[in-house]
Every structure is written in C-alpha cells, then in structure tokens.
Amino acid sequence: MAIGTKELAASELDTFEDQRLTEELRKAKEELFNLRFQSATGQLESHGRIRAVKRDIARLYTVIRERELGIRATPEPTAPKKAKKSKAKKADEAVAEGEAE
C-alpha cells in the first residue's frame, strides 16, 4: 500500500488491526525521513509528497488514539473459514462412524 494516497482514508483504516496500523505508521515515518533527506540534498522532485505523508501520519495517530479511548471500534479478528464438507465426504464419515461402532 502506498503511503500518501487515498487508500489510507479513515474508513479504510477502520478495517486494519492494531498491529497493521503500527506497521503502516512505521512505514510512513520512514518515508517522511527519506523525503526530508532528499529535500535537504536537493533531490526531492515532489514537495507535495511530504505534506501527504505528514497527513497520513496524523491520520494513523488519530485512529490509534481513538481506539485507545474507545471512540473508534477495533475490528474483530478474522478467524479462518472452515471449508464446507461435500456430500461425498459426509457420506464417507458416516460410513466410517458406522463401522467404528
């Protein structure tokens, strides 16, 4: 996911787990550091990118803090889905159970 894009809208961040939010925050801070370094050395082409990354960092901090305060709900952890058994497998299990008795 690219930092500084519309993909980091607050509604999109609601679906992220806490660990992923902190990882995105770390990536954004690292990118801001690199952009500032490029700016200092005169290699930065898009100065608007710094502004976008700063806003993303602020947005991430806001979502994290709102979750701490209970203002914003933390998403439910997703459990792996169980595969549905086919009729053939159910029949085989029923036969196996009948033989076991």
Side-chain angles (χ1 to χ4, degrees):
M1 174 181 300
I3 303 294
T5 62
K6 293 181 180 177
E7 293 177 9
L8 280 182
S11 59
E12 177 77 20
L13 293 175
D14 285 341
T15 62
F16 291 178
E17 294 181 7
D18 292 337
Q19 186 178 11
R20 183 160 178 208
L21 282 174
T22 55
E23 180 63 25
E24 292 293 329
L25 182 62
R26 186 195 59 77
K27 286 181 190 176
K29 284 184 171 186
E30 185 176 328
E31 184 175 0
L32 181 62
F33 174 80
N34 291 333
L35 290 172
R36 285 182 172 159
F37 197 86
Q38 288 175 4
S39 178
T41 58
Q43 299 174 350
L44 185 62
E45 295 177 10
S46 174
H47 293 282
R49 186 83 180 121
I50 292 176
R51 182 178 183 187
V53 173
K54 282 182 177 181
R55 287 185 176 191
D56 284 343
I57 291 172
R59 191 174 296 119
L60 286 163
Y61 272 130
T62 301
V63 170
I64 291 170
R65 182 63 179 151
E66 285 177 349
R67 285 187 182 178
E68 288 174 0
L69 297 175
I71 297 171
R72 191 178 296 255
T74 304
E76 294 291 326
T78 55
K81 295 181 180 179
K82 294 182 180 179
K84 292 184 179 180
K85 294 182 183 179
S86 66
K87 290 181 182 178
K89 285 185 180 180
K90 288 181 184 178
D92 289 343
E93 287 178 359
V95 170
E97 286 179 9
E99 292 174 1
E101 291 176 359

